Amino acid sequence: FSFLGFFAKAKFDYLDKYFFEATFRRDGSSRFGVNYKFGNFPSLSAGWIISEERWLKDNKPINFMKLRASWGLPGNSDIPANAQFGLYSAANNGILYNQQPTLFPTQAGNPNLRWETTSNFSAALETGLWRDRVTVTVETYRKYSRDVLMNVSLPPSTGFTSYWDNVAEILNQGIELSTTVNWIQKPNFGWKTSANFAYNYNELVSIGDYTPDAVSGGTNDSRVIVGRPIGSFYLVEFSHIDPDNG
């Protein structure tokens, strides 16, 4: 396959405490259909070192504090190189038509196959206390994926088993907290403790016009259910186990 990309980037730094950055990509891939070869992928980020402000610079407990935020729209092209083409194969069973070898279709084409994109936003507050003896970072994020690339099942009446298409919309959002305590800082010995906490919410927002069976998992214990986390278990509800009979 072939890939072509254009890239632009701009950075701005003011007083070593205000930071801004913007990037723009325009990428094209031969993996996609003739109607959607190219995609545009911008991103923005900003940072503010709050501890450099005069009203906080002489604060003894807080030696460092930074607020940062970013947003980006990356693209995904992780599919087989020939997924957009309708493919044919020669019959090897010796059957002829009009004394000529025969061809039969083996893959359905999709000229509208396009980039999968994810709107990705994150914001974080980084803090260093007592000369970085203790560091704390709190971060929140939200990722919304559109046109998720999937190899979906097709009805047997089509003559094909599956093909690639842009199918789903998926939401991931959550919060992360991490902290590190440097108990001992010596030239030849150090002891620190790190801990982290993370919470993530996942939801399958849409599968378009497809059924759960088409995107797999429609009738298993683990199913594809719109409005629920991906891979939710679909089982008989129960309240407890009877200790007398198990």
Side-chain angles (χ1 to χ4, degrees):
F1 72 97
S2 58
F3 187 89
L4 177 66
F6 303 92
F7 177 84
K9 182 177 182 180
K11 298 180 67 175
F12 178 73
D13 175 2
Y14 182 64
L15 299 177
D16 287 332
K17 58 182 177 181
Y18 307 111
F19 305 92
F20 302 92
E21 183 174 308
T23 62
F24 181 82
R25 295 185 62 97
R26 180 168 173 81
D27 295 331
S29 174
S30 62
R31 290 179 171 180
F32 295 110
V34 64
N35 299 327
Y36 296 96
K37 293 291 185 185
F38 283 86
N40 299 320
F41 310 108
S43 66
L44 300 169
S45 64
W48 175 26
I49 301 182
I50 306 173
S51 54
E52 289 298 313
E53 299 291 348
R54 285 185 295 178
W55 46 270
L56 189 62
K57 197 167 187 177
D58 296 328
N59 187 287
K60 291 183 179 180
I62 302 175
N63 66 277
F64 178 79
M65 180 177 288
K66 179 181 180 181
L67 180 66
R68 56 179 171 84
S70 64
W71 172 85
L73 190 71
N76 176 34
S77 61
D78 189 15
I79 56 175
N82 60 357
Q84 81 277 23
F85 296 121
L87 302 181
Y88 292 80
S89 179
N92 57 6
N93 53 10
I95 298 177
L96 302 178
Y97 178 79
N98 198 22
Q99 304 304 314
Q100 298 294 325
T102 59
L103 298 175
F104 63 94
T106 59
Q107 176 175 290
N110 186 354
N112 293 319
L113 199 60
R114 57 192 178 274
W115 289 85
E116 172 187 325
T117 59
T118 299
S119 178
N120 189 349
F121 172 80
S122 66
L125 180 66
E126 303 174 11
T127 306
L129 304 173
W130 301 289
R131 297 182 181 181
D132 288 339
R133 178 76 65 175
V134 178
T135 61
V136 180
T137 300
V138 181
E139 182 169 5
T140 183
Y141 61 89
R142 185 181 190 274
K143 300 179 180 180
Y144 196 96
S145 299
R146 291 181 172 87
D147 298 324
V148 176
L149 293 162
M150 301 183 67
N151 190 23
V152 294
S153 300
L154 294 176
S157 58
T158 64
F160 304 98
T161 57
S162 64
Y163 89 143
W164 285 90
D165 198 7
N166 299 91
V167 177
E169 296 183 14
I170 299 174
L171 170 65
N172 282 281
Q173 59 185 7
I175 188 171
E176 296 179 353
L177 170 65
S178 62
T179 182
T180 299
V181 180
N182 293 282
W183 301 101
I184 300 176
Q185 293 176 310
K186 300 292 184 181
N188 299 320
F189 179 76
W191 175 26
K192 67 179 181 180
T193 302
S194 297
N196 61 78
F197 166 82
Y199 169 78
N200 180 72
Y201 173 77
N202 170 266
E203 180 183 334
L204 179 64
V205 179
S206 172
I207 54 175
D209 296 329
Y210 290 97
T211 66
D213 289 325
V215 296
S216 78
T219 57
N220 300 319
D221 290 344
S222 177
R223 296 192 178 186
V224 171
I225 305 173
V226 174
R228 301 294 299 273
I230 295 176
S232 296
F233 288 101
Y234 192 82
L235 301 170
V236 176
E237 294 185 1
F238 67 97
S239 61
H240 65 281
I241 296 176
D242 191 333
D244 294 334
N245 55 26

